[in-house]
Amino acid sequence: MSNKLFVGNLSFNTTENDLQDMFAAHGAVQEANLMMDRATGRPRGFGFVTMSTPEEAQAAIGALNGKSIDGRALTVNVAKPREERSGGGGGGRGFGGGRREYSGGR
């Protein structure tokens, strides 16, 4: 089991210090990161916490998953590895598949 945990459904008022303090009661926290929106600089409502050992991580999951903090039931589970993103953009731009229709003239 991994030591890195996903923490979801956080209040937008939660700080990284709050996150650290929540998990410190269940073991040594190596790192606590709150994900921020690039455009607004505001929290996105989730983050990641790395505990020192898998046993501490499991203890934190057991204690905090589903617990109500600031009126929101937390989701705490083992973080999944980030999926590789392809470099290509892909996707259309809404131009309608290349067929052009003209009105009049013919």
Side-chain angles (χ1 to χ4, degrees):
M1 183 181 133
S2 173
N3 303 357
K4 189 168 188 175
L5 303 175
F6 167 82
V7 186
N9 203 29
L10 289 167
S11 163
F12 296 112
N13 297 322
T14 302
T15 66
E16 284 187 353
N17 286 338
D18 295 335
L19 195 58
Q20 170 113 15
D21 293 345
M22 267 188 260
F23 283 81
H26 308 287
V29 176
Q30 290 181 331
E31 187 176 28
N33 295 316
L34 197 57
M35 298 298 105
M36 307 298 270
D37 186 284
R38 288 183 195 157
T40 65
R42 294 174 49 188
R44 293 182 61 195
F46 71 95
F48 296 93
V49 174
T50 304
M51 304 297 287
S52 291
T53 67
E55 293 77 23
E56 291 174 344
Q58 193 59 51
I61 290 171
L64 296 173
N65 188 42
K67 184 174 181 181
S68 182
I69 306 281
D70 287 338
R72 300 176 70 113
L74 296 184
T75 299
V76 182
N77 51 41
V78 175
K80 296 179 178 128
R82 189 171 181 168
E83 291 183 15
E84 288 293 321
R85 294 185 181 188
S86 63
R93 292 191 179 155
F95 291 125
R99 182 176 170 192
R100 296 185 183 181
E101 295 184 27
Y102 298 96
S103 61
R106 285 196 185 204

